Amino acid sequence: MEYRYIGKTGLRVSSICMGTMTFGSTTNEKEAFKILDASYDRGINFYDTAELYPVTPRKETVGITEEIVGKWLKTKSRDSVIMATKIAGAASGWFVPPIRHGLTAIDSFHIKKAIEGSLKRLQTEYIDLYQMHWPDTIVPIEESLKAFDELVKEGKVRYIGTSNDSAYGLTKANEISKYKNIARFESIQNNFSLLNPRFHDELANVCRHENISLLPYSPMAGGVLSGKYNNDFFPDDVRFAIYLKEKNKRVQAMAHRFVNSKTLEATSKYLELAKEYGVSPVTLAVSYSKHFDFVASTIIGARVFEQLEDSFKAFDFRISDELLKKIEHIQKEILYPMG
């Protein structure tokens, strides 16, 4: 097992992190335990969840994922697990979370409310990595960072991170933390995959210079890179088939971002590339997302236990210089298929 450090922290994590966002929706508790146990037995010590999970977020299901993970966490030695969770982002942006009456903000009040809820559901005294699910466009980041810093000083949180952030947002937050001498974002959890390499454009530069780690999510591009959407027919219960039936326009837009003519064309080329190298397209995709020096741990997911094997094979498969050039050729040929 390969372990890497997150940012400048003492968090030494497996190069693959087990994501949990389906636990309590498309994955029941029994299956979730199978997935978590298999990951733990394989040497994975890093697990990611959020107060908002499971997806698709609904008022009646918010918090169920943390509850499931919390029950499982009690079956393990707490010191053997590095637990990450997230506070829901502000309701002032593209999405209003169905939590705290849709009035969420990354201010001191909501940060304190959120951490108490997560600690209770996860049945733990502390969170190893506490992340902002997405930025607040209204509350000054200095206020947010001061509130996060208080949690660190209280021992409820070891380190903090951000998610779905920009190069500007990450840099500004980092500089404020320096000048105020308070806890800084040690990680950034953003979408990064063969179909969405935008992190290379500028954020990778910030991470390298400031020693902040990327924790890529959706290395499979929501399952698109498995090739299942390239068939003439795909199951009704797969993620984006469900999303396309949603009345919510934001959810529909997300489905079209992941499943469109460009993503399917690029995926067909990656399927051929995986075949050429004798690996599953899942193995290729996960290996790519954890290949780079600015990445600490890639977050994978699984609805069922059987989906884990090909992701686990990415521990041993390496992206050679030759293979990387072929990947980059496809990325230049089909620019930014996810927009």
Side-chain angles (χ1 to χ4, degrees):
M1 175 60 66
E2 177 189 7
Y3 295 94
R4 307 170 181 174
Y5 284 98
I6 294 177
K8 297 178 181 179
T9 78
L11 299 178
R12 185 170 171 265
V13 297
S14 47
S15 61
I16 289 179
C17 169
M18 192 65 233
T20 63
M21 71 178 186
T22 63
F23 296 178
S25 55
T26 55
T27 305
N28 62 35
E29 183 175 310
K30 182 179 179 181
E31 193 70 16
F33 269 52
K34 284 179 64 178
I35 291 169
L36 291 168
D37 282 335
S39 302
Y40 187 87
D41 292 343
R42 183 61 179 81
I44 291 175
N45 70 346
F46 189 27
Y47 299 83
D48 179 75
T49 188
E51 65 166 347
L52 200 59
Y53 292 165
V55 295
T56 304
R58 292 183 171 86
K59 183 179 179 180
E60 59 272 20
T61 60
V62 160
I64 289 178
T65 302
E66 284 188 327
E67 290 176 358
I68 292 173
V69 175
K71 290 178 184 178
W72 174 80
L73 191 58
K74 296 297 286 185
T75 70
K76 305 294 182 244
S77 170
R78 180 63 183 88
D79 290 342
S80 70
V81 174
I82 294 176
M83 193 72 243
T85 193
K86 298 181 281 293
I87 174 177
S92 58
W94 53 273
F95 172 60
V96 177
I99 190 170
R100 293 188 287 283
H101 300 282
L103 299 173
T104 55
I106 309 297
D107 60 10
S108 181
F109 173 82
H110 284 276
I111 288 172
K112 290 177 180 178
K113 289 277 286 187
I115 192 65
E116 293 303 329
S118 289
L119 289 171
K120 182 178 180 180
R121 288 185 292 271
L122 289 167
Q123 300 185 59
T124 184
E125 295 179 350
Y126 65 95
I127 303 299
D128 296 284
L129 180 66
Y130 195 46
Q131 302 155 104
M132 178 173 70
H133 213 148
W134 61 89
D136 192 320
T137 59
I138 305 298
V139 175
I141 188 62
E142 182 176 341
E143 177 181 340
S144 307
L145 288 167
K146 285 181 178 178
F148 284 129
D149 185 64
E150 288 179 13
L151 298 184
V152 174
K153 289 176 179 175
E154 291 170 5
K156 294 176 180 177
V157 168
R158 292 178 65 189
Y159 300 101
I160 60 172
T162 185
S163 305
N164 300 298
D165 217 332
S166 64
Y168 170 78
L170 181 60
T171 302
K172 182 175 181 179
N174 191 45
E175 291 305 304
I176 288 174
S177 292
K178 287 179 185 177
Y179 293 128
K180 297 294 181 179
N181 195 29
I182 55 179
R184 70 165 199 156
F185 291 143
E186 298 287 353
S187 63
I188 177 170
Q189 188 179 141
N190 275 28
N191 189 296
F192 178 66
S193 70
L194 288 167
L195 293 180
N196 186 20
R198 278 195 177 275
F199 201 88
H200 285 297
D201 291 351
E202 194 55 45
L203 271 163
N205 198 34
V206 177
C207 287
R208 285 189 174 110
H209 282 288
E210 300 297 335
N211 197 6
I212 297 170
S213 296
L214 170 63
L215 307 174
Y217 71 82
S218 201
M220 288 300 301
V224 174
L225 284 162
S226 70
K228 60 188 171 187
Y229 294 96
N230 284 65
N231 299 322
D232 291 333
F233 301 97
F234 47 83
D236 291 334
D237 63 345
V238 296
R239 184 178 180 184
F240 295 120
I242 296 171
Y243 279 21
L244 287 170
K245 295 174 185 176
E246 289 274 347
K247 294 180 180 179
N248 187 308
K249 290 184 178 180
R250 183 194 68 82
V251 175
Q252 289 185 8
M254 183 178 178
H256 287 297
R257 181 190 178 206
F258 280 82
V259 184
N260 59 64
S261 59
K262 290 180 71 174
T263 61
L264 296 181
E265 181 185 358
T267 295
S268 68
K269 293 180 181 294
Y270 291 126
L271 294 176
E272 287 298 317
L273 200 55
K275 186 177 180 181
E276 179 185 341
Y277 281 80
V279 296
S280 151
V282 174
T283 304
L284 176 65
V286 175
S287 297
Y288 172 82
S289 68
K290 73 184 191 68
H291 171 74
F292 301 94
D293 59 352
F294 52 82
V295 173
S297 186
T298 291
I299 303 169
I300 65 169
R303 288 191 302 123
V304 294
F305 167 80
E306 286 75 18
Q307 293 177 329
L308 292 174
E309 184 178 354
D310 284 338
S311 290
F312 287 173
K313 288 180 179 178
F315 282 123
D316 302 313
F317 182 75
R318 294 290 183 267
I319 302 292
S320 65
D321 291 343
E322 176 192 60
L323 175 53
L324 185 60
K325 287 179 181 179
K326 292 179 180 180
I327 289 171
E328 291 172 343
H329 177 77
I330 295 172
Q331 291 173 340
K332 289 176 182 177
E333 184 181 356
I334 307 172
L335 285 172
Y336 304 123
M338 286 178 57

